[in-house]
Amino acid sequence: MTRVLAVTNWYPPHHFGGYELSCFDVMKRLVARGHDVAVLTSDEVVPGASSPDADHERLVSRTLRLYHRHDEIYRPGVGERLAIERHNQAALKDVLERHQPDVASVWHMGALSLGLLSTLMERDVPQVFSVCDDWLLYGEKLDAWTDLFRHGVPKQLAGTVVSRVTGVPSRVGDLGAAGAFLFVSEFIRSRAERMSRWTFPCSTVVYSGIERAIFDAQPRPGTWSDRLLFVGRWDPRKGAHTAIRALEHLPGATLQCFGRGSETERAALVALAERLGLADRVDFAQVDRHELPPIYAAADAFVFPSEWDEPFGLVPVEAMACGTPVVATIRGGSAEFLVDGANCVQFEAGAADDLARAVRRVRDDAALRDRIVAGGLALAAELDVERLADTFEQWHTYAASGFQVERPADRVLP
């Protein structure tokens, strides 16, 4: 049995995407396997979130304060920043005293106090970092406290003085030496190695996983009706606007959009559909994860129109697990598992006409459709959260030993 303290910015049911859901999935499995888990996360409430699981919620302390308010990065005055840091340090020290963890499991640190990691280092708590996006690159900028002391020697020296006076860390030291780094993709690891100020001597790629107890093969519609589906965060980089514009090239097609995130972006997408005269062919809604399988299965094709370099991308794998054909851009970490013609059909990011052509290819070529569905099912069987939990369990045990036992093997996708 290992005592694990998970630290993260959001934790379901209050979440915006797959990063937080992966943390939740892994922590629930560690609990089920007999480990003693505590979770320290923020007090931010996500509108529309469902009620938490009462038994699991007893393990969760929702006490941290984020530099994030109402879909925006929060930049308060210096006095309030110091108050936030003192509050967060007190919250961490309280749970450390109560839980006495053998290992800290560090997840999404965006807009969260990175000084928490400094305190874990000072207390010699081994850390396992789950890195599912680029927070190693942007984290210090979004942490409004450490951002004060980042640039130039004078500011760094001022931060040293402030830390001595206040007892609050102003800068993260050699984070790469603090523990093991479990990157969601080789793409994210290589970016961190090239662009962050740290090196990562102990790292691996673990990929990610979907909840197969929820997502499995579903009854499919018998005939093609051009029913398209988008699931993702309301964020311009996710490309939902391209999926909407593709309807101009697909007469009679409809698009369902399920997501959460920026209400500003959601409103912009609604306005786009209205401006293009497509409002009666596009629906917007928000559902919980367990409600998605029949929605995936009812779609003729799932659209993954991401226009940025995705760290990974779980939603196309969820669609694949439900037997739904996927048309996708293949960018960033998603290029490590999406293969054109084998488990999806590729289209050019931002090109609504190319997306429409990809949909028509899937519609008109039954052999292609069957092939990518079969390939998707095989991929979904491999990218299972149980296997992800196995990997995390091994690495947490390794870290809790002080990195003295045999290092876990690297995970390799077939």
Side-chain angles (χ1 to χ4, degrees):
M1 185 272 288
T2 303
R3 292 190 302 276
V4 179
L5 170 62
V7 180
T8 189
N9 52 9
W10 292 289
Y11 193 74
H14 301 288
H15 72 94
F16 293 103
Y19 201 159
E20 303 92 88
L21 288 168
S22 289
C23 178
F24 178 78
D25 290 338
V26 169
M27 290 306 125
K28 287 206 73 170
R29 278 163 174 78
L30 292 183
V31 171
R33 297 177 185 191
H35 300 286
D36 188 0
V37 173
V39 178
L40 180 62
T41 189
S42 76
D43 59 2
E44 186 164 0
V45 174
V46 175
S50 60
S51 299
D53 175 85
D55 288 336
H56 188 75
E57 192 67 11
R58 285 195 286 268
L59 310 178
V60 183
S61 297
R62 299 185 185 273
T63 52
L64 297 177
R65 296 176 184 168
L66 294 180
Y67 293 108
H68 186 271
R69 297 285 192 279
H70 310 297
D71 299 331
E72 302 289 341
I73 297 303
Y74 184 49
R75 312 294 285 187
V78 174
E80 187 174 351
R81 297 184 199 194
L82 177 58
I84 289 173
E85 292 302 307
R86 283 176 164 159
H87 172 89
N88 288 349
Q89 286 289 329
L92 174 63
K93 291 171 183 177
D94 175 67
V95 74
L96 286 175
E97 294 302 319
R98 289 188 287 107
H99 192 61
Q100 296 290 312
D102 301 312
V103 58
S105 186
V106 179
W107 288 71
H108 201 335
M109 295 297 293
L112 190 52
S113 302
L114 296 182
L116 300 174
L117 307 181
S118 298
T119 299
L120 291 170
M121 293 165 66
E122 291 168 3
R123 298 207 174 193
D124 295 321
V125 180
Q127 298 178 63
V128 173
F129 297 84
S130 172
V131 187
C132 296
D133 77 351
D134 285 329
W135 70 260
L136 289 169
L137 306 183
Y138 65 71
E140 289 180 293
K141 181 178 180 180
L142 298 194
D143 176 350
W145 178 252
T146 61
D147 191 44
L148 291 171
F149 310 106
R150 280 197 308 141
H151 299 295
V153 173
K155 288 187 176 181
Q156 292 175 14
L157 291 175
T160 300
V161 173
V162 169
S163 293
R164 289 174 180 169
V165 172
T166 63
V168 174
S170 63
R171 183 171 169 82
V172 181
D174 186 4
L175 193 61
F181 287 76
L182 278 54
F183 292 92
V184 73
S185 62
E186 184 59 47
F187 171 76
I188 289 296
R189 175 163 67 174
S190 64
R191 281 173 60 86
E193 290 173 340
R194 291 194 323 270
M195 301 169 66
S196 81
R197 66 181 181 88
W198 299 293
T199 59
F200 308 98
C202 182
S203 74
T204 190
V205 176
V206 298
Y207 305 106
S208 195
I210 63 169
E211 179 58 87
R212 291 303 303 279
I214 299 175
F215 299 103
D216 57 5
Q218 300 281 314
R220 302 277 307 143
T223 58
W224 184 283
S225 301
D226 278 341
R227 293 171 296 233
L228 307 183
L229 174 66
F230 167 87
V231 176
R233 189 169 67 249
W234 305 131
D235 182 322
R237 299 173 300 175
K238 293 296 185 178
H241 54 279
T242 301
I244 293 171
R245 289 191 291 109
L247 297 183
E248 293 186 291
H249 306 278
L250 294 166
T254 60
L255 174 67
Q256 285 189 301
C257 297
F258 291 89
R260 60 179 72 200
S262 169
E263 283 302 311
T264 301
E265 174 62 13
R266 183 184 183 279
L269 293 171
V270 171
L272 173 63
E274 292 175 347
R275 187 166 67 252
L276 296 177
L278 300 170
D280 60 336
R281 295 165 58 192
V282 184
D283 291 325
F284 296 88
Q286 176 177 318
V287 295
D288 288 328
R289 180 171 56 165
H290 70 274
E291 300 174 272
L292 280 171
I295 294 171
Y296 281 125
D300 291 302
F302 176 77
V303 181
F304 187 59
S306 188
E307 296 184 11
W308 70 313
D309 289 328
E310 283 281 348
F312 192 75
L314 278 175
V315 286
V317 185
E318 293 174 352
M320 290 173 179
C322 297
T324 304
V326 171
V327 294
T329 59
I330 300 180
R331 300 175 62 92
S334 69
E336 294 170 39
F337 63 89
L338 291 178
V339 182
D340 182 34
N343 56 31
C344 70
V345 171
Q346 184 177 8
F347 65 92
E348 182 182 351
D353 57 343
D354 199 35
L355 168 52
R357 279 192 292 269
V359 170
R360 288 193 293 268
R361 282 186 62 200
V362 176
R363 179 192 66 194
D364 297 338
D365 189 338
L368 171 64
R369 187 165 65 246
D370 291 345
R371 185 167 68 250
I372 65 173
V373 167
L377 289 170
L379 177 68
E382 173 64 30
L383 293 176
D384 177 13
V385 75
E386 288 290 348
R387 296 187 184 183
L388 181 67
D390 292 342
T391 302
F392 270 87
E393 184 175 30
Q394 293 163 9
W395 279 91
H396 283 80
T397 301
Y398 175 54
S401 76
F403 304 98
Q404 298 302 307
V405 301
E406 184 178 1
R407 182 186 187 276
D410 292 328
R411 187 179 179 192
V412 179
L413 285 182

